[in-house]
Amino acid sequence: MDILDTHAYDRRQRRNMSCALLFSLSPFILSTALYFYLWSPDSPASITTAGVKSAPTVLLAAAVLSWNGGQSVLGVAGGLLFSAVGDWCLVWPELFLHGMGAFGVAHLLYSLTFLSGHYAAYSSSSSLWIRCLYLILFMVGGGFYIYIYPFLQKAPDSDLLIPAVGVYIVLIVLMGSLAIRTRHTATLLGSLSFMVSDLSLALQVFKATAPMEHGNAITMVTYYLAQLLIAVGDVKSVENKDDFSKWKRS
């Protein structure tokens, strides 16, 4: 097989993989559409509501597991499952801290994944713009915490919320910073979208802004998009590692 045949074969393989990946993501896409179809501002907190809300993330975790295997339970798939727990908890306001804790674990698992071997080919450089992005993310996180701090003080459980929100911001900013390190576009955009979603949610939950007519839609669209991009980025990173290994052996 000459080099042209090899390139044509690789293109067919990538095209077939993209089709297979899209097919495996179809349950997530359909369940997300179902959530937006059923959701309304008057939706009561119930097991059904929690199930519909968390189902897309569980199905996305199943898709990642089917592609990357059981080891991803300690990586992106595990982060998705903890995110589903967070989705479930946030349906009930009194479980907000539990939900935030679950999402904190998810960010920690994502961060560890972004440091793992199958992202090694995309390790960070010492270039100035990368360092500037790190600095910008931490400044945004710190600035947001300073902005929201007075509103946290007014919350009934402020003694717990103030340190918990601070730790959570550190975790999500760390996750975003490590996503920059991977140099994967989908992973980076997913992490940034996650930060936008959480910022939107925090502004609404802690009443730091005027009520937004489409606040929930903004939060959930950016949230589901974030999870999708992080999952796709993880699957693609494994594919790219395999391609790189084949190239080294050739």
Side-chain angles (χ1 to χ4, degrees), residues 24-90:
S24 68
L25 292 173
S26 57
F28 164 79
I29 295 170
L30 292 173
S31 60
T32 301
L34 179 64
Y35 167 79
F36 285 109
Y37 177 75
L38 295 177
W39 183 87
S40 73
D42 302 321
S43 298
S46 66
I47 292 177
T48 301
T49 302
V52 171
K53 183 181 181 183
S54 58
T57 320
V58 172
L59 293 170
L60 194 55
V64 173
L65 280 169
S66 70
W67 280 92
N68 293 353
Q71 71 272 13
S72 60
V73 170
L74 298 177
V76 166
L80 288 166
L81 291 174
F82 272 100
S83 295
V85 174
D87 290 334
W88 184 283
C89 291
L90 291 185

Side-chain angles (χ1 to χ4, degrees), residues 72-134:
S72 60
V73 170
L74 298 177
V76 166
L80 288 166
L81 291 174
F82 272 100
S83 295
V85 174
D87 290 334
W88 184 283
C89 291
L90 291 185
V91 169
W92 292 273
E94 62 271 20
L95 296 180
F96 180 82
L97 278 171
H98 300 78
M100 187 167 62
F103 278 114
V105 175
H107 294 318
L108 187 58
L109 288 173
Y110 290 156
S111 297
L112 292 174
T113 303
F114 299 158
L115 288 169
S116 66
H118 59 264
Y119 287 98
Y122 298 87
S123 60
S124 64
S125 68
S126 58
S127 60
L128 181 61
W129 73 272
I130 290 288
R131 293 183 178 183
C132 287
L133 285 177
Y134 291 158

Side-chain angles (χ1 to χ4, degrees), residues 4 13 36 42 105 108 144 146 155 179 192 194 199 238 241:
L4 293 178
Q13 287 291 93
F36 285 109
D42 302 321
V105 175
L108 187 58
F144 181 73
I146 292 171
L192 294 178
F194 214 134
L199 184 148
V238 174
K241 180 190 176 186

Side-chain angles (χ1 to χ4, degrees), residues 7-247:
H7 287 167
Y9 174 78
D10 288 342
R11 284 196 299 270
R12 286 196 300 272
Q13 287 291 93
R14 290 192 180 94
R15 185 167 58 249
N16 291 340
M17 180 192 171
S18 296
C19 292
L21 180 58
L22 180 61
F23 179 77
S24 68
L25 292 173
S26 57
F28 164 79
I29 295 170
L30 292 173
S31 60
T32 301
L34 179 64
Y35 167 79
F36 285 109
Y37 177 75
L38 295 177
W39 183 87
S40 73
D42 302 321
S43 298
S46 66
I47 292 177
T48 301
T49 302
V52 171
K53 183 181 181 183
S54 58
T57 320
V58 172
L59 293 170
L60 194 55
V64 173
L65 280 169
S66 70
W67 280 92
N68 293 353
Q71 71 272 13
S72 60
V73 170
L74 298 177
V76 166
L80 288 166
L81 291 174
F82 272 100
S83 295
V85 174
D87 290 334
W88 184 283
C89 291
L90 291 185
V91 169
W92 292 273
E94 62 271 20
L95 296 180
F96 180 82
L97 278 171
H98 300 78
M100 187 167 62
F103 278 114
V105 175
H107 294 318
L108 187 58
L109 288 173
Y110 290 156
S111 297
L112 292 174
T113 303
F114 299 158
L115 288 169
S116 66
H118 59 264
Y119 287 98
Y122 298 87
S123 60
S124 64
S125 68
S126 58
S127 60
L128 181 61
W129 73 272
I130 290 288
R131 293 183 178 183
C132 287
L133 285 177
Y134 291 158
L135 181 61
I136 289 170
L137 281 183
F138 278 97
M139 288 178 64
V140 169
F144 181 73
Y145 185 67
I146 292 171
Y147 172 77
I148 208 169
Y149 185 84
F151 300 95
L152 294 175
Q153 289 180 309
K154 299 175 185 177
D157 47 356
S158 59
D159 291 344
L160 288 175
L161 272 177
I162 289 174
V165 170
V167 171
Y168 184 84
I169 288 175
V170 170
L171 288 174
I172 194 170
V173 170
L174 176 64
M175 186 267 291
S177 299
L178 292 176
I180 296 172
R181 173 190 178 276
T182 68
R183 301 290 187 89
H184 281 263
T185 302
T187 303
L188 174 57
L189 292 178
S191 300
L192 294 178
S193 184
F194 214 134
M195 295 180 72
V196 171
S197 175
D198 280 357
L199 184 148
S200 170
L201 177 63
L203 290 175
Q204 296 172 71
V205 169
F206 302 122
K207 298 178 173 58
T209 185
M212 294 187 285
E213 183 179 358
H214 302 292
N216 183 74
I218 294 171
T219 299
M220 296 308 296
V221 166
T222 51
Y223 168 69
Y224 285 135
L225 177 62
Q227 299 285 32
L228 174 63
L229 290 172
I230 290 172
V232 170
D234 194 55
V235 171
K236 290 289 188 180
S237 72
V238 174
E239 176 199 11
N240 291 340
K241 180 190 176 186
D242 292 341
D243 290 344
F244 183 67
S245 298
K246 291 176 185 176
W247 176 80

